[in-house]
Amino acid sequence: DTAVSQTPKYLVTQMGNDKSIKCEQNLGHDTMYWYKQDSKKFLKIMFSYNNKELIINETVPNRFSPKSPDKAHLNLHINSLELGDSAVYFCASSQDWQGLYEQYFGPGTRLTVT
Amino acid sequence: ILNVEQSPQSLHVQEGDSTNFTCSFPSSNFYALHWYRWETAKSPEALFVMTLNGDEKKKGRISATLNTKEGYSYLYIKGSQPEDSATYLCACNQAGTALIFGKGTTLSVSS
């Protein structure tokens, strides 16, 4: 069983479109995250949710809206896609939001905006 | 914003060599430090989570130490194997803040 899964794995779309990426974890963790891997392969935190509540929002544009319907799911919706949104997006989960436990990462979603 | 520095950026060793990398971070308000192993075309996998000054952790041939007073952690690999080739990420945080990742050290091991 995959611990942290993301769909889709690849997403190619045009500028201005709206798209969503889904993430699910079956580890029973309380905390989930979205990271963006930029062109230099640097992992940068976007959002962190704990028990469905947003606890960290790292100055991400309003076009990005996370939604957590329950503890096991954290979806990322992106409005009005721009070229600069092209990146690999990783979802992760952990037992706590404070950093005392390791994070488990999903396989990543490669988003290409043309 | 917390600044996490890793060095070297990359290195190449021969099979059987032992090697080590450094992660530097601000020592003030330190809370936790993580090491991850990231193979090409895969996702990062946790190696260690360390919180206490003087902590030493070991997993097989890989070990790590932590010095929170001076703000650094070392990751050691003993007897490197080709399958150790990966990018090793360090991340740390202050209390109540998100983990900030360094840019990683990319290790290449030749047989």
Side-chain angles (χ1 to χ4, degrees):
Chain A
D1 274 351
T2 304
V4 182
S5 59
Q6 293 178 230
T7 54
K9 193 166 183 181
Y10 299 96
L11 184 54
V12 181
T13 188
Q14 292 184 326
M15 281 174 57
N17 284 349
D18 303 339
K19 290 292 178 186
S20 291
I21 308 172
K22 295 187 176 182
C23 178
E24 176 180 2
Q25 54 96 3
N26 62 7
L27 298 167
H29 288 166
D30 287 340
T31 307
M32 296 185 73
Y33 311 84
W34 277 109
Y35 288 90
K36 180 180 181 180
Q37 180 193 4
D38 64 19
S39 56
K40 296 181 181 178
K41 301 196 175 181
F42 185 41
L43 266 184
K44 191 171 180 183
I45 182 73
M46 299 174 70
F47 301 103
S48 173
Y49 269 71
N50 188 61
N51 279 319
K52 303 192 297 176
E53 290 190 18
L54 177 68
I55 53 170
I56 288 172
N57 178 344
E58 289 290 324
T59 59
V60 177
N62 290 339
R63 297 183 297 102
F64 290 79
S65 52
K67 283 191 171 52
S68 182
D70 55 59
K71 270 188 358 175
H73 296 85
L74 180 62
N75 304 323
L76 184 65
H77 188 76
I78 315 170
N79 289 328
S80 303
L81 277 154
E82 300 177 358
L83 291 176
D85 297 331
S86 295
V88 180
Y89 292 85
F90 285 94
C91 176
S93 73
S94 65
Q95 281 183 253
D96 80 326
W97 64 272
Q98 296 183 75
L100 294 179
Y101 294 90
E102 64 270 26
Q103 295 187 11
Y104 292 79
F105 285 80
T109 295
R110 182 175 292 279
L111 171 65
T112 303
V113 182
T114 61
Chain B
I1 295 178
L2 197 63
N3 192 29
V4 179
E5 300 279 350
Q6 290 189 247
S7 63
Q9 187 175 344
S10 63
L11 76 162
H12 182 98
V13 301
Q14 296 295 313
E15 184 176 358
D17 289 349
S18 293
T19 187
N20 65 84
F21 333 127
T22 305
C23 175
S24 302
F25 52 88
S27 55
S28 60
N29 298 320
F30 169 85
Y31 194 75
L33 182 137
H34 295 212
W35 280 102
Y36 291 84
R37 183 169 177 271
W38 194 359
E39 289 182 72
T40 303
K42 294 188 177 181
S43 45
E45 291 183 355
L47 289 171
F48 307 111
V49 177
M50 308 170 80
T51 57
L52 299 175
N53 184 46
D55 246 355
E56 289 189 31
K57 295 211 171 180
K58 188 175 180 181
K59 186 182 285 190
R61 294 178 293 99
I62 304 177
S63 60
T65 61
L66 177 65
N67 184 323
T68 62
K69 294 188 186 307
E70 296 181 38
Y72 64 85
S73 173
Y74 292 138
L75 187 79
Y76 299 92
I77 302 179
K78 186 177 177 183
S80 302
Q81 300 296 309
E83 57 265 31
D84 295 329
S85 298
T87 295
Y88 291 83
L89 296 175
C90 168
C92 69
N93 71 334
Q94 297 169 325
T97 67
L99 270 184
I100 301 299
F101 281 80
K103 295 183 178 179
T105 292
T106 299
L107 173 66
S108 175
V109 183
S110 300
S111 56

